Amino acid sequence: MKIDSARYVITLDPRRRIVQDGSLLIENGRISRIDKAAELASARADRVIDGRHLVVTPGFFNGHMHISYAHPVRGIFPDELGSPLNHVFNLQAAMTEEEEYHASLLGIVELLKNGTVCFVDPGSTKFPDACLQAYTDAGIRVMMGECVIDGTSALTLPRYPAAEAIGRTAAFVEKWHGRLEGRLRAWAMPFSAESCSAELLRGLKRVADEHGTSLTLHHNSGPQARKDYQARHGLRPTEYLESIGVVGPNVLLAHVLGVDEAEIECLARTATAVTMCPVTAAKGGRGVHEHGKMPELLARGVKIALGCDSPNNSNHLDIVRVMNMAALQYKDARQDMRQIPAETALEMATLLGAQALGVGDELGSLEPGKKADLVLFDTARPEWQALFNPINNLVYNADGRSVHTVIVDGRVVVDAYRQSFVDEARLFARVQEIGERLQARTGITFPRSRWPIV
Ligand SMILES: [Zn+2]
C-alpha cells in the first residue's frame, strides 16, 4: 500500500521530522519507506491512497478505557449526583454476555473512528470469549485482563482469595496473550492497592514478569492518601508500591493524581509508567491545578499515556479531545501558556503512550520497520484552515471527527470515514435497547434531564 503525496506526515521519529508532501509505503503490515513524494514517485503499490488533503500521524493509544458497561447507559448520571462509581460497578456486574459484546463493539467503533488503534481495558470485560469476536472483526489492538481484588471495597468488584486470584490471572494470560496475531495482549489487572493485599499484588507482578507482560492498577495519592498509607505502612502510596516490588517498566499506574516530589522521584527511578486521564480529572472535579503533576512527571522522563477512562467519565473516546484537554488544562492550572505544548500532547497520544504500554519498539511512530498503524486526517474541513502548523491545528483546532482513514497492522479498518465490520444503525438501536433493559433490571435510573422532556 502507498499513501501518496500526503500534505504532512508527522513521523514522531527520533528527530521528530514532519515530512511535507510525503509518501509512505507499507509492505507486509510494516512501514517500509517514508520520504518526499518525489523520491517515491516510481514506487508502485496494490492500493494507492491519494494523500494530497491528508495529514498522517501514528495511530493513537488509549491507556485506560473501561469498555464493558458504559455505552448502553452513557449520559444517565446527572451532574448533581457527584461520583457515580457505586452505580457503575453494579451496572457492570449486571451485564449479560450478549449485552457486553454489543457494548464493546460500539466502544470499538467509536475508538477506531476517532483514531485509537490500541487501548487498555483495565479488567472490565467479564466475557472475553464473547468479546473476542468483536476484536477479531474490528482489527483493533487491545490489552485485556481480569480485574481481581482480595480485600474489601465499597464497589462491586470480583473478589477471590489471593492464591485463587493469582491462579486465575496466570490462566488468563496463558490463554489470551498474543492472540489475534499479537494484537491482543493479556495483562495482570488488580483494581487498586487499597483493595488488594500485598501478597496478591506481589503475586500478580510475578505473573506479569514471568509471562513477559504488564500489570495495571488504579493509583492516586494526595494529602489524605499519604496520611492513610503513613498510618498503615509508614510510607507514601507510591513508596508502598515500591516496597512490595510493584513498580517498574511493566507496571502502568492509572490516574496518578496527587503524587508529591518523592513519589515522582520513585516513579522516575523505577521507570514505572503512567496513564493520565485529563478529561476524567476535569469532569470529576479532581483539582488538577493542585493534584496534577503531568509537567513534573514528563520532566523526569516518566512515560505517560493518555486515557479517557469509562464512557461515563470522559463520556467520549476521542483521544484528540483528550490531547486538547491535556494541553489546555495545565496552561490554565499553572497560569502559564508554555505548559504541555501541542507537540508534547501528541507525543503522549502516540510514541510515549506506546512506550508506557510496553510496545514502543514496534509501534507509536512512523519509521521504516515499525508496524503500520496510521491515522489519516482529512484537512478538507473548515476546522483545519488555515494550515501552516499541522500539530497546532490537530491539537487545538481539530477533533476525532476529521479522522478519515485508520490503518492497523497494514490493514485499513476505517476507510474514508467508514468501517465495514458492523452495521452501525442496527448496533446503535441494539445498544439503546440494552440500556433500557439494564436500567429496568437494576433499578439504576435517574431523571433524564433537569429540564422537562415533553
Ligand atoms: Zn479505571
PDB file of all heavy atoms in Angstrom, residues 308-339:
ATOM      1  N   CYS A 308      -9.013   7.841  28.521  1.00  0.00           N
ATOM      2  CA  CYS A 308     -10.282   8.569  28.666  1.00  0.00           C
ATOM      3  C   CYS A 308     -11.185   7.862  29.658  1.00  0.00           C
ATOM      4  O   CYS A 308     -12.329   8.272  29.825  1.00  0.00           O
ATOM      5  CB  CYS A 308     -10.956   8.763  27.327  1.00  0.00           C
ATOM      6  SG  CYS A 308     -11.445   7.238  26.602  1.00  0.00           S
ATOM      7  N   ASP A 309     -10.648   6.818  30.350  1.00  0.00           N
ATOM      8  CA  ASP A 309     -11.440   6.150  31.378  1.00  0.00           C
ATOM      9  C   ASP A 309     -12.743   5.628  30.774  1.00  0.00           C
ATOM     10  O   ASP A 309     -12.806   5.376  29.590  1.00  0.00           O
ATOM     11  CB  ASP A 309     -11.675   7.129  32.541  1.00  0.00           C
ATOM     12  CG  ASP A 309     -11.735   6.414  33.883  1.00  0.00           C
ATOM     13  OD1 ASP A 309     -11.780   5.177  33.911  1.00  0.00           O
ATOM     14  OD2 ASP A 309     -11.751   7.106  34.910  1.00  0.00           O
ATOM     15  N   SER A 310     -13.782   5.489  31.583  1.00  0.00           N
ATOM     16  CA  SER A 310     -15.001   4.877  31.034  1.00  0.00           C
ATOM     17  C   SER A 310     -15.819   5.915  30.263  1.00  0.00           C
ATOM     18  O   SER A 310     -15.670   7.124  30.477  1.00  0.00           O
ATOM     19  CB  SER A 310     -15.830   4.283  32.166  1.00  0.00           C
ATOM     20  OG  SER A 310     -17.068   4.920  32.255  1.00  0.00           O
ATOM     21  N   PRO A 311     -16.671   5.447  29.368  1.00  0.00           N
ATOM     22  CA  PRO A 311     -17.524   6.385  28.618  1.00  0.00           C
ATOM     23  C   PRO A 311     -18.546   7.113  29.496  1.00  0.00           C
ATOM     24  O   PRO A 311     -19.330   7.894  28.975  1.00  0.00           O
ATOM     25  CB  PRO A 311     -18.224   5.481  27.599  1.00  0.00           C
ATOM     26  CG  PRO A 311     -17.350   4.282  27.486  1.00  0.00           C
ATOM     27  CD  PRO A 311     -16.768   4.088  28.847  1.00  0.00           C
ATOM     28  N   ASN A 312     -18.570   6.875  30.801  1.00  0.00           N
ATOM     29  CA  ASN A 312     -19.345   7.737  31.680  1.00  0.00           C
ATOM     30  C   ASN A 312     -18.441   8.647  32.514  1.00  0.00           C
ATOM     31  O   ASN A 312     -18.919   9.352  33.399  1.00  0.00           O
ATOM     32  CB  ASN A 312     -20.240   6.919  32.600  1.00  0.00           C
ATOM     33  CG  ASN A 312     -21.679   6.881  32.061  1.00  0.00           C
ATOM     34  OD1 ASN A 312     -22.182   7.877  31.572  1.00  0.00           O
ATOM     35  ND2 ASN A 312     -22.319   5.735  32.141  1.00  0.00           N
ATOM     36  N   ASN A 313     -17.128   8.617  32.243  1.00  0.00           N
ATOM     37  CA  ASN A 313     -16.209   9.519  32.938  1.00  0.00           C
ATOM     38  C   ASN A 313     -15.799  10.662  32.015  1.00  0.00           C
ATOM     39  O   ASN A 313     -16.120  11.814  32.269  1.00  0.00           O
ATOM     40  CB  ASN A 313     -14.982   8.762  33.434  1.00  0.00           C
ATOM     41  CG  ASN A 313     -15.334   7.800  34.550  1.00  0.00           C
ATOM     42  OD1 ASN A 313     -15.855   6.724  34.299  1.00  0.00           O
ATOM     43  ND2 ASN A 313     -15.105   8.195  35.780  1.00  0.00           N
ATOM     44  N   SER A 314     -15.062  10.307  30.938  1.00  0.00           N
ATOM     45  CA  SER A 314     -14.803  11.325  29.921  1.00  0.00           C
ATOM     46  C   SER A 314     -16.063  11.559  29.095  1.00  0.00           C
ATOM     47  O   SER A 314     -16.244  12.608  28.512  1.00  0.00           O
ATOM     48  CB  SER A 314     -13.695  10.873  28.977  1.00  0.00           C
ATOM     49  OG  SER A 314     -12.435  11.054  29.556  1.00  0.00           O
ATOM     50  N   ASN A 315     -16.851  10.501  28.974  1.00  0.00           N
ATOM     51  CA  ASN A 315     -18.029  10.423  28.108  1.00  0.00           C
ATOM     52  C   ASN A 315     -17.709  10.241  26.623  1.00  0.00           C
ATOM     53  O   ASN A 315     -18.518   9.686  25.905  1.00  0.00           O
ATOM     54  CB  ASN A 315     -18.985  11.595  28.291  1.00  0.00           C
ATOM     55  CG  ASN A 315     -19.776  11.492  29.588  1.00  0.00           C
ATOM     56  OD1 ASN A 315     -19.198  11.216  30.630  1.00  0.00           O
ATOM     57  ND2 ASN A 315     -21.072  11.680  29.526  1.00  0.00           N
ATOM     58  N   HIS A 316     -16.549  10.661  26.187  1.00  0.00           N
ATOM     59  CA  HIS A 316     -16.190  10.385  24.792  1.00  0.00           C
ATOM     60  C   HIS A 316     -14.895   9.584  24.766  1.00  0.00           C
ATOM     61  O   HIS A 316     -14.161   9.532  25.763  1.00  0.00           O
ATOM     62  CB  HIS A 316     -16.020  11.687  24.009  1.00  0.00           C
ATOM     63  CG  HIS A 316     -14.892  12.525  24.511  1.00  0.00           C
ATOM     64  ND1 HIS A 316     -13.569  12.208  24.288  1.00  0.00           N
ATOM     65  CD2 HIS A 316     -14.868  13.644  25.266  1.00  0.00           C
ATOM     66  CE1 HIS A 316     -12.790  13.098  24.847  1.00  0.00           C
ATOM     67  NE2 HIS A 316     -13.548  13.980  25.467  1.00  0.00           N
ATOM     68  N   LEU A 317     -14.627   8.967  23.620  1.00  0.00           N
ATOM     69  CA  LEU A 317     -13.430   8.131  23.488  1.00  0.00           C
ATOM     70  C   LEU A 317     -12.488   8.725  22.450  1.00  0.00           C
ATOM     71  O   LEU A 317     -11.832   8.007  21.715  1.00  0.00           O
ATOM     72  CB  LEU A 317     -13.832   6.708  23.063  1.00  0.00           C
ATOM     73  CG  LEU A 317     -14.941   6.030  23.885  1.00  0.00           C
ATOM     74  CD1 LEU A 317     -15.136   4.599  23.390  1.00  0.00           C
ATOM     75  CD2 LEU A 317     -14.635   6.050  25.359  1.00  0.00           C
ATOM     76  N   ASP A 318     -12.462  10.055  22.395  1.00  0.00           N
ATOM     77  CA  ASP A 318     -11.716  10.747  21.343  1.00  0.00           C
ATOM     78  C   ASP A 318     -10.387  11.263  21.910  1.00  0.00           C
ATOM     79  O   ASP A 318     -10.350  12.247  22.646  1.00  0.00           O
ATOM     80  CB  ASP A 318     -12.586  11.902  20.833  1.00  0.00           C
ATOM     81  CG  ASP A 318     -11.899  12.723  19.748  1.00  0.00           C
ATOM     82  OD1 ASP A 318     -10.710  12.469  19.465  1.00  0.00           O
ATOM     83  OD2 ASP A 318     -12.548  13.624  19.194  1.00  0.00           O
ATOM     84  N   ILE A 319      -9.311  10.588  21.560  1.00  0.00           N
ATOM     85  CA  ILE A 319      -8.001  10.971  22.112  1.00  0.00           C
ATOM     86  C   ILE A 319      -7.552  12.350  21.602  1.00  0.00           C
ATOM     87  O   ILE A 319      -6.762  13.026  22.260  1.00  0.00           O
ATOM     88  CB  ILE A 319      -6.944   9.867  21.810  1.00  0.00           C
ATOM     89  CG1 ILE A 319      -7.171   8.669  22.736  1.00  0.00           C
ATOM     90  CG2 ILE A 319      -5.526  10.370  21.974  1.00  0.00           C
ATOM     91  CD1 ILE A 319      -6.879   8.917  24.220  1.00  0.00           C
ATOM     92  N   VAL A 320      -8.074  12.790  20.475  1.00  0.00           N
ATOM     93  CA  VAL A 320      -7.716  14.139  20.027  1.00  0.00           C
ATOM     94  C   VAL A 320      -8.258  15.157  21.036  1.00  0.00           C
ATOM     95  O   VAL A 320      -7.576  16.115  21.410  1.00  0.00           O
ATOM     96  CB  VAL A 320      -8.237  14.424  18.602  1.00  0.00           C
ATOM     97  CG1 VAL A 320      -7.741  15.783  18.133  1.00  0.00           C
ATOM     98  CG2 VAL A 320      -7.775  13.336  17.631  1.00  0.00           C
ATOM     99  N   ARG A 321      -9.469  14.943  21.503  1.00  0.00           N
ATOM    100  CA  ARG A 321     -10.029  15.837  22.524  1.00  0.00           C
ATOM    101  C   ARG A 321      -9.292  15.677  23.857  1.00  0.00           C
ATOM    102  O   ARG A 321      -9.182  16.624  24.634  1.00  0.00           O
ATOM    103  CB  ARG A 321     -11.526  15.567  22.706  1.00  0.00           C
ATOM    104  CG  ARG A 321     -12.353  16.108  21.558  1.00  0.00           C
ATOM    105  CD  ARG A 321     -13.812  15.726  21.671  1.00  0.00           C
ATOM    106  NE  ARG A 321     -14.503  16.362  22.787  1.00  0.00           N
ATOM    107  CZ  ARG A 321     -15.734  16.040  23.190  1.00  0.00           C
ATOM    108  NH1 ARG A 321     -16.400  15.089  22.556  1.00  0.00           N
ATOM    109  NH2 ARG A 321     -16.292  16.672  24.195  1.00  0.00           N
ATOM    110  N   VAL A 322      -8.792  14.480  24.132  1.00  0.00           N
ATOM    111  CA  VAL A 322      -8.014  14.278  25.364  1.00  0.00           C
ATOM    112  C   VAL A 322      -6.684  15.024  25.263  1.00  0.00           C
ATOM    113  O   VAL A 322      -6.242  15.662  26.233  1.00  0.00           O
ATOM    114  CB  VAL A 322      -7.804  12.775  25.648  1.00  0.00           C
ATOM    115  CG1 VAL A 322      -6.948  12.586  26.898  1.00  0.00           C
ATOM    116  CG2 VAL A 322      -9.149  12.063  25.824  1.00  0.00           C
ATOM    117  N   MET A 323      -6.048  14.972  24.080  1.00  0.00           N
ATOM    118  CA  MET A 323      -4.810  15.748  23.868  1.00  0.00           C
ATOM    119  C   MET A 323      -5.093  17.225  24.099  1.00  0.00           C
ATOM    120  O   MET A 323      -4.308  17.935  24.724  1.00  0.00           O
ATOM    121  CB  MET A 323      -4.330  15.604  22.407  1.00  0.00           C
ATOM    122  CG  MET A 323      -3.618  14.333  22.079  1.00  0.00           C
ATOM    123  SD  MET A 323      -2.824  14.534  20.452  1.00  0.00           S
ATOM    124  CE  MET A 323      -3.956  13.749  19.374  1.00  0.00           C
ATOM    125  N   ASN A 324      -6.199  17.679  23.545  1.00  0.00           N
ATOM    126  CA  ASN A 324      -6.568  19.086  23.686  1.00  0.00           C
ATOM    127  C   ASN A 324      -6.715  19.452  25.160  1.00  0.00           C
ATOM    128  O   ASN A 324      -6.171  20.463  25.617  1.00  0.00           O
ATOM    129  CB  ASN A 324      -7.893  19.313  22.924  1.00  0.00           C
ATOM    130  CG  ASN A 324      -8.404  20.731  23.074  1.00  0.00           C
ATOM    131  OD1 ASN A 324      -9.179  21.032  23.974  1.00  0.00           O
ATOM    132  ND2 ASN A 324      -7.949  21.624  22.207  1.00  0.00           N
ATOM    133  N   MET A 325      -7.394  18.602  25.923  1.00  0.00           N
ATOM    134  CA  MET A 325      -7.584  18.886  27.345  1.00  0.00           C
ATOM    135  C   MET A 325      -6.254  18.882  28.084  1.00  0.00           C
ATOM    136  O   MET A 325      -5.994  19.748  28.923  1.00  0.00           O
ATOM    137  CB  MET A 325      -8.539  17.857  27.957  1.00  0.00           C
ATOM    138  CG  MET A 325      -8.793  18.053  29.436  1.00  0.00           C
ATOM    139  SD  MET A 325      -9.541  19.640  29.858  1.00  0.00           S
ATOM    140  CE  MET A 325     -11.274  19.256  29.675  1.00  0.00           C
ATOM    141  N   ALA A 326      -5.383  17.921  27.765  1.00  0.00           N
ATOM    142  CA  ALA A 326      -4.074  17.853  28.429  1.00  0.00           C
ATOM    143  C   ALA A 326      -3.299  19.157  28.187  1.00  0.00           C
ATOM    144  O   ALA A 326      -2.695  19.713  29.101  1.00  0.00           O
ATOM    145  CB  ALA A 326      -3.274  16.658  27.916  1.00  0.00           C
ATOM    146  N   ALA A 327      -3.341  19.636  26.949  1.00  0.00           N
ATOM    147  CA  ALA A 327      -2.583  20.842  26.600  1.00  0.00           C
ATOM    148  C   ALA A 327      -3.189  22.085  27.260  1.00  0.00           C
ATOM    149  O   ALA A 327      -2.466  22.966  27.715  1.00  0.00           O
ATOM    150  CB  ALA A 327      -2.539  21.001  25.078  1.00  0.00           C
ATOM    151  N   LEU A 328      -4.520  22.147  27.313  1.00  0.00           N
ATOM    152  CA  LEU A 328      -5.180  23.332  27.879  1.00  0.00           C
ATOM    153  C   LEU A 328      -5.134  23.348  29.409  1.00  0.00           C
ATOM    154  O   LEU A 328      -4.909  24.382  30.038  1.00  0.00           O
ATOM    155  CB  LEU A 328      -6.653  23.375  27.430  1.00  0.00           C
ATOM    156  CG  LEU A 328      -6.978  24.221  26.188  1.00  0.00           C
ATOM    157  CD1 LEU A 328      -6.067  23.856  25.031  1.00  0.00           C
ATOM    158  CD2 LEU A 328      -8.441  24.035  25.789  1.00  0.00           C
ATOM    159  N   GLN A 329      -5.404  22.172  29.980  1.00  0.00           N
ATOM    160  CA  GLN A 329      -5.597  22.055  31.426  1.00  0.00           C
ATOM    161  C   GLN A 329      -4.409  22.599  32.220  1.00  0.00           C
ATOM    162  O   GLN A 329      -4.592  23.316  33.200  1.00  0.00           O
ATOM    163  CB  GLN A 329      -5.766  20.559  31.711  1.00  0.00           C
ATOM    164  CG  GLN A 329      -6.230  20.194  33.070  1.00  0.00           C
ATOM    165  CD  GLN A 329      -6.701  18.746  33.062  1.00  0.00           C
ATOM    166  OE1 GLN A 329      -5.904  17.845  32.821  1.00  0.00           O
ATOM    167  NE2 GLN A 329      -7.974  18.522  33.308  1.00  0.00           N
ATOM    168  N   TYR A 330      -3.206  22.261  31.786  1.00  0.00           N
ATOM    169  CA  TYR A 330      -2.032  22.667  32.562  1.00  0.00           C
ATOM    170  C   TYR A 330      -1.648  24.122  32.307  1.00  0.00           C
ATOM    171  O   TYR A 330      -1.027  24.754  33.151  1.00  0.00           O
ATOM    172  CB  TYR A 330      -0.867  21.700  32.319  1.00  0.00           C
ATOM    173  CG  TYR A 330      -1.120  20.397  33.057  1.00  0.00           C
ATOM    174  CD1 TYR A 330      -1.836  19.367  32.480  1.00  0.00           C
ATOM    175  CD2 TYR A 330      -0.702  20.256  34.377  1.00  0.00           C
ATOM    176  CE1 TYR A 330      -2.114  18.203  33.169  1.00  0.00           C
ATOM    177  CE2 TYR A 330      -0.966  19.101  35.083  1.00  0.00           C
ATOM    178  CZ  TYR A 330      -1.673  18.075  34.474  1.00  0.00           C
ATOM    179  OH  TYR A 330      -1.949  16.933  35.181  1.00  0.00           O
ATOM    180  N   LYS A 331      -2.006  24.641  31.143  1.00  0.00           N
ATOM    181  CA  LYS A 331      -1.790  26.080  30.908  1.00  0.00           C
ATOM    182  C   LYS A 331      -2.631  26.867  31.905  1.00  0.00           C
ATOM    183  O   LYS A 331      -2.168  27.819  32.531  1.00  0.00           O
ATOM    184  CB  LYS A 331      -2.171  26.447  29.478  1.00  0.00           C
ATOM    185  CG  LYS A 331      -1.220  25.893  28.427  1.00  0.00           C
ATOM    186  CD  LYS A 331      -1.709  26.208  27.030  1.00  0.00           C
ATOM    187  CE  LYS A 331      -0.706  25.777  25.965  1.00  0.00           C
ATOM    188  NZ  LYS A 331      -0.404  24.331  25.933  1.00  0.00           N
ATOM    189  N   ASP A 332      -3.880  26.441  32.054  1.00  0.00           N
ATOM    190  CA  ASP A 332      -4.780  27.144  32.964  1.00  0.00           C
ATOM    191  C   ASP A 332      -4.381  26.906  34.417  1.00  0.00           C
ATOM    192  O   ASP A 332      -4.287  27.842  35.206  1.00  0.00           O
ATOM    193  CB  ASP A 332      -6.216  26.667  32.721  1.00  0.00           C
ATOM    194  CG  ASP A 332      -7.185  27.377  33.638  1.00  0.00           C
ATOM    195  OD1 ASP A 332      -7.174  28.617  33.665  1.00  0.00           O
ATOM    196  OD2 ASP A 332      -7.936  26.696  34.359  1.00  0.00           O
ATOM    197  N   ALA A 333      -4.119  25.634  34.746  1.00  0.00           N
ATOM    198  CA  ALA A 333      -3.807  25.294  36.137  1.00  0.00           C
ATOM    199  C   ALA A 333      -2.581  26.056  36.637  1.00  0.00           C
ATOM    200  O   ALA A 333      -2.536  26.485  37.782  1.00  0.00           O
ATOM    201  CB  ALA A 333      -3.588  23.791  36.266  1.00  0.00           C
ATOM    202  N   ARG A 334      -1.574  26.207  35.748  1.00  0.00           N
ATOM    203  CA  ARG A 334      -0.318  26.859  36.174  1.00  0.00           C
ATOM    204  C   ARG A 334      -0.264  28.319  35.765  1.00  0.00           C
ATOM    205  O   ARG A 334       0.755  28.984  35.987  1.00  0.00           O
ATOM    206  CB  ARG A 334       0.878  26.113  35.567  1.00  0.00           C
ATOM    207  CG  ARG A 334       0.882  24.605  35.819  1.00  0.00           C
ATOM    208  CD  ARG A 334       1.217  24.288  37.260  1.00  0.00           C
ATOM    209  NE  ARG A 334       1.043  22.866  37.546  1.00  0.00           N
ATOM    210  CZ  ARG A 334       1.997  21.942  37.431  1.00  0.00           C
ATOM    211  NH1 ARG A 334       3.198  22.305  37.013  1.00  0.00           N
ATOM    212  NH2 ARG A 334       1.758  20.682  37.728  1.00  0.00           N
ATOM    213  N   GLN A 335      -1.340  28.784  35.094  1.00  0.00           N
ATOM    214  CA  GLN A 335      -1.373  30.157  34.576  1.00  0.00           C
ATOM    215  C   GLN A 335      -0.091  30.442  33.787  1.00  0.00           C
ATOM    216  O   GLN A 335       0.592  31.456  33.998  1.00  0.00           O
ATOM    217  CB  GLN A 335      -1.580  31.150  35.721  1.00  0.00           C
ATOM    218  CG  GLN A 335      -2.896  30.903  36.443  1.00  0.00           C
ATOM    219  CD  GLN A 335      -3.154  31.866  37.564  1.00  0.00           C
ATOM    220  OE1 GLN A 335      -3.064  33.067  37.380  1.00  0.00           O
ATOM    221  NE2 GLN A 335      -3.481  31.352  38.735  1.00  0.00           N
ATOM    222  N   ASP A 336       0.191  29.518  32.851  1.00  0.00           N
ATOM    223  CA  ASP A 336       1.443  29.582  32.102  1.00  0.00           C
ATOM    224  C   ASP A 336       1.224  28.892  30.755  1.00  0.00           C
ATOM    225  O   ASP A 336       1.080  27.669  30.698  1.00  0.00           O
ATOM    226  CB  ASP A 336       2.545  28.864  32.907  1.00  0.00           C
ATOM    227  CG  ASP A 336       3.880  28.830  32.172  1.00  0.00           C
ATOM    228  OD1 ASP A 336       3.967  29.350  31.038  1.00  0.00           O
ATOM    229  OD2 ASP A 336       4.830  28.257  32.744  1.00  0.00           O
ATOM    230  N   MET A 337       1.211  29.678  29.686  1.00  0.00           N
ATOM    231  CA  MET A 337       0.911  29.125  28.360  1.00  0.00           C
ATOM    232  C   MET A 337       1.974  28.168  27.844  1.00  0.00           C
ATOM    233  O   MET A 337       1.760  27.463  26.860  1.00  0.00           O
ATOM    234  CB  MET A 337       0.736  30.259  27.346  1.00  0.00           C
ATOM    235  CG  MET A 337      -0.653  30.855  27.368  1.00  0.00           C
ATOM    236  SD  MET A 337      -0.912  31.920  25.938  1.00  0.00           S
ATOM    237  CE  MET A 337      -1.020  30.723  24.598  1.00  0.00           C
ATOM    238  N   ARG A 338       3.134  28.137  28.497  1.00  0.00           N
ATOM    239  CA  ARG A 338       4.213  27.262  27.995  1.00  0.00           C
ATOM    240  C   ARG A 338       4.050  25.813  28.427  1.00  0.00           C
ATOM    241  O   ARG A 338       4.780  24.938  27.978  1.00  0.00           O
ATOM    242  CB  ARG A 338       5.568  27.807  28.452  1.00  0.00           C
ATOM    243  CG  ARG A 338       5.917  29.149  27.810  1.00  0.00           C
ATOM    244  CD  ARG A 338       7.066  29.810  28.516  1.00  0.00           C
ATOM    245  NE  ARG A 338       6.742  30.019  29.932  1.00  0.00           N
ATOM    246  CZ  ARG A 338       7.546  30.602  30.811  1.00  0.00           C
ATOM    247  NH1 ARG A 338       8.730  31.036  30.431  1.00  0.00           N
ATOM    248  NH2 ARG A 338       7.179  30.744  32.074  1.00  0.00           N
ATOM    249  N   GLN A 339       3.102  25.558  29.331  1.00  0.00           N
ATOM    250  CA  GLN A 339       2.932  24.183  29.831  1.00  0.00           C
ATOM    251  C   GLN A 339       2.339  23.274  28.754  1.00  0.00           C
ATOM    252  O   GLN A 339       1.445  23.676  28.023  1.00  0.00           O
ATOM    253  CB  GLN A 339       2.008  24.185  31.054  1.00  0.00           C
ATOM    254  CG  GLN A 339       2.527  24.972  32.241  1.00  0.00           C
ATOM    255  CD  GLN A 339       3.753  24.338  32.886  1.00  0.00           C
ATOM    256  OE1 GLN A 339       3.993  23.142  32.743  1.00  0.00           O
ATOM    257  NE2 GLN A 339       4.526  25.137  33.592  1.00  0.00           N
TER     258      GLN A 339
END
